[in-house]
Amino acid sequence: MRVDLHTHSTASDGTDNPADLPRLAKQAGLDGFALTDHDTTAGLAPAAAAAKQLGLAFVPGIELSIVADPFAEASPLAEDGPTDMGSIHLLGYHVRSDSEALMIIETKLRRARETRNPQIIEKLAGLGVRLDYQDVLDLALGSDEGRPGEHAVGRPHIAQLMVERGYVKSMHEAFAQYLGPGGAAYVPRELPTADKAIAAIHSAGGVAVLAHPVHLGLSAADLEHHVARLTDLGLDGIETQHSDHEPADTKRLTALAEQFDLLTTGGSDYHGSRKAIALGSVVAPGNTLERLEEAAAQYA
Ligand code: AMP
Ligand code: FE
Ligand code: FE
Ligand code: ZN
């Protein structure tokens, strides 16, 4: 089975409607895929329905941002983490989108975005980058598919508008100069701690997986320390296959997963036309679907 377990739709910062993804996945030669939008399950229902029609395997997922420090107990504002993302990304697989625990976290994350985004726009204005927040919302919420009021609007949408308006040449420049930690218009946002996020994923019937560990930019020893802590908190797996992982990373991470008795997953992190990553260009290890289902059964 060829399955891409990391994709984004217009419900967050992808550019394809959730209901269109299954057709694209089939065209890419996949047998199945997971939709893992940032901080929202809003696209899962239309994606699941379209996947069913096409006879594709579908895993309902989410990618939650959590504080960069898994040892944090309170819920402080995210410090500039050791990563260019300023946070740890946690994938949830087989989550029920009507789960109350997950809804609570999604709502908090959305409110934090609604607070942060206008602050970013204001900081940008102070730097001579004049954008209308309504234009960002229009760009992000152009699609009305799948609970539009619950879409995750964020920096990628702001970055795209900056490119379109000629303020920067690329999304990468927008993040490096302005939007990322250390950037002139960086604004931290309030994020859930690892324990709360993992508990919410489990409560939603899902399996919790550490996304693209190389993005954390940690030494081998620090990564092991992080994984040990996250495993104590209930982590179930590590994303070993990812577009930003070199073969040596995948090998090292697979060994780490074995060491902590965690399952391994993989996917491309497809964002449609917003990133130069093809759907299905990275697939999960052979029997991942079965192992994910087995693991999810214990939280059902
Ligand atoms: P936000 O959701 O507002 O916190 O923005 C984070 C998202 O921006 C990540 O999930 C990535 O998809 C995207 N991103 C982060 N850094 C970069 C970068 N350097 N270039 C392009 N996209 C990025
Ligand atoms: Fe993204
Ligand atoms: Fe991510
Ligand atoms: Zn992602």
Side-chain angles (χ1 to χ4, degrees):
M1 290 273 273
R2 285 176 55 81
V3 295
D4 183 341
L5 297 181
H6 195 152
T7 73
H8 296 268
S9 77
T10 50
S12 66
D13 58 347
T15 57
D16 297 304
N17 280 320
D20 293 335
L21 274 173
R23 181 177 47 80
L24 299 170
K26 193 151 197 176
Q27 281 168 6
L30 290 170
D31 302 304
F33 76 106
L35 177 58
T36 53
D37 274 310
H38 297 288
D39 303 340
T40 184
T41 53
L44 295 182
K52 195 170 175 188
Q53 273 199 337
L54 294 176
L56 272 187
F58 178 71
V59 180
I62 191 166
E63 182 173 15
L64 288 175
S65 300
I66 65 172
V67 291
D69 176 8
F71 302 90
E73 276 165 21
S75 189
L77 276 184
E79 300 287 341
D80 286 14
T83 150
D84 66 345
M85 304 290 177
S87 59
I88 291 175
H89 286 181
L90 208 57
L91 294 156
Y93 289 117
H94 287 298
V95 291
R96 286 187 300 267
S97 45
D98 61 356
S99 148
E100 196 180 333
L102 200 54
M103 275 296 177
I104 289 171
I105 284 210
E106 287 179 47
T107 304
K108 281 192 183 156
L109 281 161
R110 191 163 54 246
R111 298 231 168 98
R113 288 174 176 282
E114 285 162 3
T115 304
R116 175 174 69 162
N117 289 337
Q119 292 173 347
I120 295 175
I121 297 296
E122 209 177 300
K123 271 199 166 183
L124 285 172
L127 297 163
V129 178
R130 291 177 201 291
L131 302 177
D132 192 337
Y133 185 43
Q134 188 56 48
D135 291 342
V136 176
L137 291 175
D138 289 347
L139 183 152
L141 305 175
S143 150
D144 61 354
E145 248 185 58
R147 313 205 314 253
E150 298 175 23
H151 286 201
V153 182
R155 290 173 294 169
H157 305 105
I158 297 173
Q160 185 183 333
L161 202 59
M162 288 172 72
V163 174
E164 284 176 13
R165 298 283 162 86
Y167 287 110
V168 289
K169 289 197 189 66
S170 64
M171 300 266 295
H172 180 80
E173 190 184 334
F175 273 89
Q177 297 277 341
Y178 296 99
L179 304 174
Y186 180 70
V187 179
R189 70 174 157 134
E190 211 160 332
L191 294 171
T193 48
D195 57 338
K196 296 233 168 59
I198 292 173
I201 289 171
H202 287 168
S203 160
V207 174
V209 173
L210 177 62
H212 43 61
V214 298
H215 286 186
L216 298 174
L218 297 171
S219 68
D222 283 348
L223 179 61
E224 185 179 331
H225 198 44
H226 271 59
V227 168
R229 172 64 179 158
L230 290 168
T231 303
D232 279 347
L233 297 175
L235 186 76
D236 303 288
I238 296 181
E239 186 177 48
T240 49
Q241 265 83 345
H242 183 274
S243 310
D244 293 333
H245 290 183
E246 301 292 337
D249 295 319
T250 296
K251 200 172 158 203
R252 184 170 62 92
L253 291 166
T254 304
L256 197 59
E258 218 160 281
Q259 182 186 336
F260 287 92
D261 198 19
L262 297 169
L263 52 83
T264 56
T265 73
S268 64
D269 213 349
Y270 174 72
H271 281 70
S273 60
R274 209 163 267 132
K275 286 189 185 173
I277 297 167
L279 183 58
S281 55
V282 177
V283 293
N287 57 348
T288 304
L289 275 193
E290 291 81 356
R291 287 182 305 124
L292 273 181
E293 263 173 43
E294 260 173 46
Q298 67 187 300
Y299 305 116

